[in-house]
Amino acid sequence: MNSSAADRIIVALDGMAPDQALAFAVAVPELRWVKVGLELFGAGGPDVVRQLRDQGKRVFLDLKFHDIPATMAGACRSAARLGAELITVHACAGSEALRAAQEAACESAAAAGLLQPTLLAVTVLTSWNPQRFAAELAIDEAVADYVPRLAQLAAGAGIGGCVCSPLEVAALRAAHREPFALVTPGIRPAGAALGDQQRVMTPAQAVAAGASQLVIGRPITAAADPAGAFASCCTELA
């Protein structure tokens, strides 16, 4: 298996109990990165992050922190101490909170002798479609304009990257070169069901557009042969 391709894929362990997540990580030995989101963290807490790291997996802790600056700093300090290497925060928390979160995460990781984590600013969740986004949030800007605004806010605050729809990757990559990370959910291999994702691309399309890493869940985790499905995604990228 192409190791570079494997490093680009983050498998979302959403909807799993902690024991299922740990067993899944063992069953897909080539897996490098896993995403621990609200469901799994709510069930397993910090221990599930530690246990996945003990298995040699790198952890994307996707809790989407959004609060006042002091609280976001404290949350990111704790997340970094766990060894999470990617941590999500909401860009719309504002520049002061983003700066506080970034500083706290870096200080905490350094104090624990861990790699410096990358904070990822969430722009617009991929479950939104443009019509509902405008109607329900009363935001006049189109999603295509609002996402770059939030990405620029995050970059200006020193945040290391963004989470965004793959359909926004090309425009964001043109404005923000590497090493600014662009991590994209909403990835569906050709022929896979969309589920609750509205703005999607295939793995190869997203990487070609400029994505750094891809978050893929059910097309791998719900497959009859998860290891085979993971290998197929890696092959597509390679």
Side-chain angles (χ1 to χ4, degrees):
M1 181 181 294
N2 185 293
S3 60
S4 177
D7 280 328
R8 284 188 179 271
I9 296 174
I10 304 169
V11 173
L13 304 181
D14 302 312
M16 296 185 184
D19 58 340
Q20 291 174 312
L22 295 169
F24 177 88
V26 170
V28 186
E30 301 296 332
L31 180 62
R32 308 290 179 83
W33 282 90
V34 294
K35 180 173 85 76
V36 175
L38 287 166
E39 290 180 82
L40 180 55
F41 193 82
D47 282 346
V48 75
V49 175
R50 296 189 185 99
Q51 290 167 326
L52 287 163
R53 292 191 69 244
D54 287 345
Q55 291 183 359
K57 308 305 180 187
R58 304 177 75 178
V59 175
F60 171 16
L61 188 59
D62 185 22
L63 303 183
K64 299 182 179 70
F65 297 127
H66 184 184
D67 215 303
I68 63 173
T71 301
M72 281 183 64
C76 289
R77 186 176 296 114
S78 296
R81 195 180 300 123
L82 284 177
E85 294 182 60
L86 295 172
I87 301 166
T88 47
V89 294
H90 269 286
C92 57
S95 59
E96 183 182 351
L98 294 175
R99 289 191 188 97
Q102 176 71 30
E103 181 177 342
C106 292
E107 289 178 352
S108 181
L114 297 169
L115 290 174
Q116 181 174 314
T118 297
L119 267 58
L120 299 172
V122 177
T123 55
V124 175
L125 298 174
T126 56
S127 56
W128 285 107
N129 64 46
Q131 294 74 31
R132 282 200 310 110
F133 180 79
E136 295 185 13
L137 299 186
I139 293 175
D140 291 335
E141 275 189 309
V143 170
D145 297 321
Y146 193 67
V147 166
R149 177 191 297 277
L150 292 179
Q152 184 58 52
L153 177 73
I159 298 300
C162 279
V163 177
C164 62
S165 157
L167 301 189
E168 284 108 36
V169 166
L172 291 183
R173 181 54 75 209
H176 304 278
R177 310 311 301 173
E178 298 282 0
F180 193 81
L182 296 176
V183 177
T184 61
I187 301 298
R188 291 292 185 268
L194 294 183
D196 58 2
Q197 301 291 343
Q198 298 291 325
R199 308 194 313 278
V200 303
M201 279 187 180
T202 68
Q205 288 171 333
V207 168
S212 307
Q213 289 177 286
L214 315 174
V215 178
I216 306 177
R218 284 163 289 190
I220 294 174
T221 59
D225 175 14
F230 180 78
S232 293
C233 289
C234 290
T235 298
E236 180 180 340
L237 291 182

